[in-house]
Amino acid sequence: MAPAIPAAVSAWIGLGANLGDRQATLRAALAAMAGLPGTRLQRTSSLYRSAPVDAGGPDYLNAVVQVETTLAPHALLAQLQAIEQAAGRERPYRNAPRTLDLDILLYDALTLASPTLTIPHPRMATRAFVLVPLAEIAPHLLGAEQLEAVRGQAIERLPED
């Protein structure tokens, strides 16, 4: 009997970078995600500039991407962390400036709380740099009250290249 092929699910991933060539790093991360096993990019938001939240350092560039993947949540996390490592990500302290940050925001309708992964992302509802790009590509996932809650946070959509 042939092994079962896992069904693909939608996952939404937040991307951020505030060190180095941020645009090039985010483009390379998108290309790397497109090359993950059993994974296909579905939608990508515009790039947004935002000030760091609960951290210091230069402004971030952020985006959100929707992927379709057959990877299980922890396997997807491991692959995303490998992409971060390849981009020179270091973790000297919590919320340190970074060359690349990739966070699983949502994974289909799954709710998960493990020592290494929480889905939905535990702080996404308080961050405009997540909600605004997510609303751009998946407005059905958010309510107006969620966007209203982060309205005071400065965020700027960058012009398309």
Side-chain angles (χ1 to χ4, degrees):
M1 179 175 236
I5 298 172
V9 300
S10 286
W12 287 265
I13 299 164
L15 297 84
N18 75 332
L19 295 177
D21 187 341
R22 301 166 301 168
Q23 284 192 15
T25 299
L26 294 180
R27 283 190 195 102
L30 288 170
M33 283 190 278
L36 293 178
T39 302
R40 187 171 65 224
L41 295 180
Q42 296 294 311
R43 292 185 193 106
T44 304
S45 75
S46 301
L47 290 179
Y48 291 82
R49 180 180 305 123
S50 65
V53 174
D54 299 329
D59 284 352
Y60 275 87
L61 290 187
N62 296 98
V64 171
V65 63
Q66 178 189 2
V67 299
E68 184 178 275
T69 187
T70 58
L71 293 171
H74 284 92
L76 179 59
L77 177 63
Q79 293 285 338
L80 295 176
Q81 288 175 338
I83 294 169
E84 289 177 340
Q85 287 299 116
R89 170 78 188 261
E90 295 179 0
R91 298 173 189 269
Y93 55 90
R94 182 173 166 78
N95 295 328
R98 55 204 66 163
T99 55
L100 181 62
D101 187 27
L102 301 174
D103 290 325
I104 300 172
L105 305 173
L106 300 164
Y107 184 95
D108 205 31
L110 179 70
T111 298
L112 174 70
S114 79
T116 57
L117 181 60
T118 302
I119 300 172
H121 190 282
R123 293 173 301 284
M124 69 181 266
T126 63
R127 296 179 168 173
F129 66 81
V130 171
L131 296 183
V132 172
L134 180 60
E136 179 188 333
I137 63 170
H140 63 283
L141 294 176
L142 301 173
E145 68 283 352
Q146 290 172 291
L147 291 171
E148 181 62 27
V150 298
R151 188 170 58 95
Q153 295 177 23
I155 185 168
E156 174 191 1
R157 183 177 177 171
L158 298 182
E160 301 293 324
D161 290 338

